Structure formats: C-alpha cells, structure tokens
Amino acid sequence: MEFHNKTAIVTGAGVGIGFEICGQLARQGATVFLNDIDEALCTSAAEKIRAEGGTCHPLPGDSSNKTFVESMVSTAVEQTGRLDIAIANAGITLFGDFLTYPPESLFQVLHVNIGGTFFLAQAASRQMRQQGNGGALLFTSSVTGHQAHKNLAAYSMTKAALEMLAKNLVAEVSGFGVRVNTVAPGATLTERTVSDTEYENTWSRITPMGRPASVTDIADAALFLVSDKARHITGQSLVVDGGWTATSPSPF
Ligand SMILES: NC(=O)c1ccc[n+]([C@@H]2O[C@H](COP(=O)([O-])OP(=O)(O)OC[C@H]3O[C@@H](n4cnc5c(N)ncnc54)[C@H](O)[C@@H]3O)[C@@H](O)[C@H]2O)c1
C-alpha cells in the first residue's frame, strides 16, 4: 500500500497506459481521479477500478483546457483535502508527412500534448506548494522525444518539449519539495496501437528485447517515479523501450 492516503490525478486514462497507471495506483491505496475526454469511457474506466476495490473517481473533460484542468485539481482537493501526484498522460499522435503537415494538426498536437501537460503541472504545483509537503509530477513522453521517427515531426517535438519542461521545472518547484520526471515509453500494446494488426509483429522484430512493451511495463516505471522510492530523482526521463533507442531500427 505504497500510495495509501495519497491523492492522484491521471489524464487521458480511459484506456491504455493511463488506465493501467490508475489501476495500479488504486490497488496500492491511492485515491485516484481518472480523466478522459470521452465521458462514457471515463465513467466506465473508473467503475472498473472501483469494482476491483479501488477508490477511483471519473473526471471527464478536455485535459488541454486550462479552466477544466484547474477544476480537476479543485475537485480532487475538495474531495480528499490534498493532491500528491499529478500525471499528465493524455497525448495525441497525428501522423503525417512533414512537407504537407497541416497547421490544424500541428496546433492540435501542441495544444493537447504540451498545453495540457503545462496547465496540469502549473495547477498541481500551486496546490502542492500550498500544502507544504511536496508532491510528484510525471509527464508521459515517448522514445520519439529521443529519436527521430518518420511522419512524427510534430508529435516527437512535443515529447522532447515535455522532457525539457520537466527539467526546467526542477528550477521552479524543487524549493517546495515537488519532483518532476517523465516516463518515455517505446512501442506499447494498447487498444489504440493494436488496431494496426502488424504493430506487434513489427515491434517484436525490431525491439532488442523481442517484444513491444505492455502497459504494465510502462505503469511499473511510472509508479516508481511518483513513489517515495524515487525521492531523490527529479528532472529525469526514464525510457522504457526494451532497448529500442539503443539501436533504433526503423519500423518502416
Ligand atoms: N501506446 C504507445 O505505444 C505509446 C508510446 C509512447 C508514448 N505514448 C504516450 O502515452 C500516452 C498514452 O498513450 P496510450 O496509447 O496509452 O493511450 P491513447 O492514445 O489510446 O489515449 C488514451 C486516452 O486519452 C484520451 N484523450 C485524448 N485526448 C484527450 C484530452 N484532450 N483530454 C483527455 N483525454 C484525452 C483518449 O480519449 C483515450 O481514451 C500518450 O501521451 C502517448 O503519446 C504511447
């Protein structure tokens, strides 16, 4: 029960990596506020975690909307009196050829991936400073924030930006005991990625450890970074990719 008496917010968590992080946090005693932009999915995801005995509240809404993000923090604090962990996990991937990439896609990716993360870090940090006993922020980055990847210029730029945001915030929030890190998943089997039937075969072939990540692989690393075991780790990125960035063979 590592997270007993801790309150956590996780964005973009109706399925995939975020949902697994919420489940693990709840199983280890946290009160979890689970966000997703899809209201029905958000509600059913929180219900699934409660059905297993966890404490989990749905907070449906757009994690890139500053006003909504602030209301998530207020709701968590109204209901539990505190906020200890904020995980900006929501991120969208809009693939496209760089030479013809449309401005609408660029701004959408910037808005959700960078804007949403920035606003949650800001609102959570203000609350944690007021509480006076620290806290942990975590951003979901990607191996594409470390290595070039065809058709992902906009997305990979946002993920590299999140890593710099985490590093930069060390100068802003360490003074009141808040740590900030990123977890950088490699190819991970989620509801979204397995919709490409070749995904698992391709990434099994080009990943040194012989398979893509599971959501559990990523959530285990995420929980470590927001736990007290990582109490002296801040401003870092933990790559969880079965060795892919060491060799980086192209999936194409
Ligand atoms: N799956 C992978 O292979 C992989 C690899 C590297 C990084 N990532 C990153 O991990 C994170 C989670 O990815 P995933 O594949 O597990 O999930 P996903 O992409 O399937 O999305 C999870 C949920 O996020 C929600 N969402 C999207 N925009 C939102 C918004 N503005 N506000 C609130 N919710 C929103 C969606 O409705 C969805 O249910 C993302 O940041 C992604 O970039 C994923």
Side-chain angles (χ1 to χ4, degrees):
M1 296 304 263
E2 170 101 39
F3 296 96
H4 183 58
N5 281 336
K6 302 270 188 196
T7 298
I9 294 175
V10 186
T11 64
V15 290
I17 293 167
F19 178 70
E20 177 65 17
I21 291 173
C22 288
Q24 286 203 19
L25 282 170
R27 285 193 285 280
Q28 294 184 46
T31 298
V32 179
F33 289 84
L34 182 158
N35 159 260
D36 201 284
I37 197 166
D38 179 330
E39 185 168 354
L41 181 64
C42 189
T43 309
S44 66
E47 263 167 22
K48 272 188 215 159
I49 291 173
R50 282 203 304 274
E52 286 184 352
T55 306
C56 186
H57 307 283
L59 289 177
D62 181 354
S63 70
S64 68
N65 178 311
K66 182 173 184 286
T67 308
F68 171 69
V69 168
E70 288 170 352
S71 78
M72 285 201 290
V73 172
S74 309
T75 303
V77 173
E78 273 157 28
Q79 293 195 21
T80 67
R82 55 188 304 102
L83 178 64
D84 304 286
I85 297 164
I87 302 183
N89 171 72
I92 55 171
T93 315
L94 299 179
F95 292 91
D97 173 37
F98 169 65
L99 295 181
T100 53
Y101 202 73
E104 311 79 60
S105 299
L106 172 65
F107 292 124
Q108 203 184 341
V109 172
L110 294 178
H111 200 59
V112 175
N113 297 12
I114 298 182
T117 302
F118 190 96
F119 299 139
L120 181 62
Q122 194 179 43
S125 296
R126 283 201 293 256
Q127 174 59 30
M128 289 167 181
R129 180 179 60 178
Q130 194 181 321
Q131 285 170 197
N133 55 356
L137 308 177
L138 182 71
F139 310 149
T140 308
S141 174
S142 165
V143 286
T144 64
H146 294 251
Q147 287 292 339
H149 212 292
K150 201 168 165 43
N151 292 331
L152 279 179
Y155 174 81
S156 61
M157 175 173 71
T158 66
K159 294 302 188 180
L162 297 187
E163 306 223 347
M164 192 59 215
L165 177 63
K167 209 181 273 187
N168 198 84
L169 293 190
V170 168
E172 303 279 354
V173 302
S174 301
F176 40 96
V178 173
R179 297 183 300 103
V180 51
N181 292 295
T182 64
V183 63
T188 305
L189 297 176
T190 64
E191 288 80 347
R192 175 174 59 84
T193 58
V194 296
S195 64
D196 168 359
T197 50
E198 278 310 299
Y199 188 87
E200 185 165 4
N201 282 341
T202 302
W203 285 97
S204 297
R205 180 171 48 79
I206 64 174
T207 300
M209 293 299 284
R211 63 171 178 84
S214 67
V215 289
T216 312
D217 294 326
I218 309 303
D220 284 348
L223 261 73
F224 165 68
L225 287 171
V226 298
S227 76
D228 286 343
K229 291 187 185 119
R231 61 193 164 272
H232 210 49
I233 300 175
T234 190
Q236 301 303 309
S237 177
L238 180 49
V239 176
V240 185
D241 69 348
W244 182 76
T245 45
T247 54
S248 309
S250 170
F252 304 111

